[in-house]
Amino acid sequence: MDAVLLVVAAVWGAVTGLLIPRAAYRFAVEPEEPWRTACPAGHPLAGPVRGWLGPPRCAPCAEPGAPATPAAETPVRSEEAAAGPSATATAPEADLSPTAAATAPQATPSPTAATPEAAPDVGQEAAPDTAREVAPRPTAATPDVGREAAPDTAREAAPRPTAAPALHPTTSTPATIPTPATAPVYAPRLLAPVVTAVVCVALAAATGARPELAAWLALTPVAVLLAVVDRRVHRLPDPLTLPLAAAAVLLLGGAALLPGAAGSWTSGLLGGLALGGFYFLLFLINPNGMGFGDVKLALALGVALGWYGWAVLFVGGFAGFLFGAAYGLGLVLLRGAGRKTGIPFGPFMITGALAGLLLGALAA
């Protein structure tokens, strides 16, 4: 039974954790900005619940590139696209000019290979008459001697300038189409599912098959989402903190009605008021050091910790301050942070509450 419970908790944590990255990406905005509705490339986020649920990749960005260019067609190179239509239209003629053919092995020199500014090539004057007869005569009326000296068959095979629109720089190439390797990803992709699964397994192992386990498993994904958002933008959104507190009250209230519950719903309510009031007092004393989002998060954490009694409430609340202080000290020693350096306190509050819940569940 215990093994099955742990497997169920791990699967629940992994599945719900996969939904955290997209939600964290949408919530991770500055206070004055609306929630994100599009991926970094500008594609609208589609999916259930108005796009809040879905994978951490944008589906249009993750589509494979366009089909490869057929071998019979000449692919557009980046330097040709940068040069414009006129440059790409003359590229085939330049490749078929006698000057390019002169570099090939055993090529017959052409008297028209020299430019108008260049001196006459003595070697070309000494070429056999048969070679001179094979090469076409240049057109005297055309100043560009090198281009007009191309053989007639090559000129007929070369694409006409009217084919320039097919080589226009606006033509999409496989290099400009996003591929799965370059598609925007809303990090973290793996950390959130792994952390959620590990926390759910730890709570299941400590709580066992008691009614309050359902409440812990339901609240864990939202708590991890809050930690991720606060870590990114130092913000705890109201659409997460307030419903989390209400859900804690309702879920633990239902667990208290079932046989085998190891906590008290009344002490949970009082614990939420006590911890929330304490954080509210800290907010009034130093508004710059304690955000009001932390106060609303303390309501939910206090209800959960108070379920197991006042001792667990004290341990979980104190552990949050201890973890936050240790992190701040590490910033001071390793990165030279000052006293006014802001840190996201929500993750440490949640981690401290987790430690208190594990101790309370094991002692119950």
Side-chain angles (χ1 to χ4, degrees):
M1 180 62 183
D2 293 339
V4 174
L5 192 64
L6 295 179
V7 171
V8 171
V11 172
W12 167 261
V15 172
T16 56
L18 291 174
L19 303 177
I20 291 178
R22 173 181 283 200
Y25 166 77
R26 297 194 63 176
F27 276 120
V29 296
E30 297 300 327
E32 302 299 330
E33 297 180 2
W35 311 128
R36 292 190 177 105
T37 59
C39 74
H43 302 113
L45 297 177
V49 195
R50 297 182 180 180
W52 285 99
L53 302 181
R57 286 184 180 272
C58 175
C61 293
E63 292 179 357
T69 304
E73 298 180 4
T74 304
V76 179
R77 296 189 295 269
S78 59
E79 59 268 17
E80 293 175 350
S86 60
T88 57
T90 59
E93 293 184 347
D95 291 340
L96 297 174
S97 63
T99 57
T103 60
Q106 304 298 329
T108 303
S110 174
T112 61
T115 60
E117 294 82 2
D121 193 344
V122 178
Q124 294 177 356
E125 294 293 330
D129 293 339
T130 57
R132 183 178 292 108
E133 293 176 359
V134 173
R137 295 181 179 181
T139 303
T142 304
D144 191 351
V145 180
R147 179 176 300 176
E148 292 297 332
D152 294 338
T153 56
R155 185 182 296 106
E156 294 177 359
R160 299 179 181 274
T162 56
L167 300 176
H168 197 274
T170 58
T171 303
S172 299
T173 62
T176 60
I177 298 179
T179 61
T182 60
V185 178
Y186 320 125
R189 283 186 302 169
L190 301 177
L191 183 60
V194 170
V195 170
T196 308
V198 170
V199 172
C200 289
V201 170
L203 289 171
T207 306
R210 292 200 293 261
E212 62 266 22
L213 177 61
W216 306 149
L217 295 181
L219 299 176
T220 296
V222 183
V224 174
L225 175 59
L226 279 168
V228 173
V229 175
D230 195 20
R231 176 65 181 85
R232 292 186 184 180
V233 293
H234 295 196
R235 182 186 183 186
L236 296 170
D238 290 344
L240 296 178
T241 54
L242 297 179
L244 181 66
V249 173
L250 295 177
L251 292 174
L252 291 178
L257 300 176
L258 300 177
S264 172
W265 186 61
T266 304
S267 64
L269 294 179
L270 296 177
L273 294 176
L275 191 62
F278 177 71
Y279 272 84
F280 181 68
L281 180 62
L282 294 178
F283 171 75
L284 294 178
I285 295 174
N286 185 13
N288 295 327
M290 183 66 62
F292 198 66
D294 299 329
V295 178
K296 289 173 280 191
L297 176 61
L299 293 174
L301 300 182
V303 172
L305 292 172
W307 170 264
Y308 290 121
W310 294 100
V312 174
L313 175 66
F314 175 80
V315 171
F318 179 76
F321 284 99
L322 183 63
F323 295 152
Y327 178 79
L329 180 61
L331 289 181
V332 172
L333 296 178
L334 300 178
R335 300 184 181 180
R339 296 178 56 185
K340 296 183 179 180
T341 301
I343 62 173
F345 197 59
F348 305 108
M349 295 174 60
I350 295 172
T351 305
L354 173 63
L357 286 179
L358 293 177
L359 293 177
L362 291 173

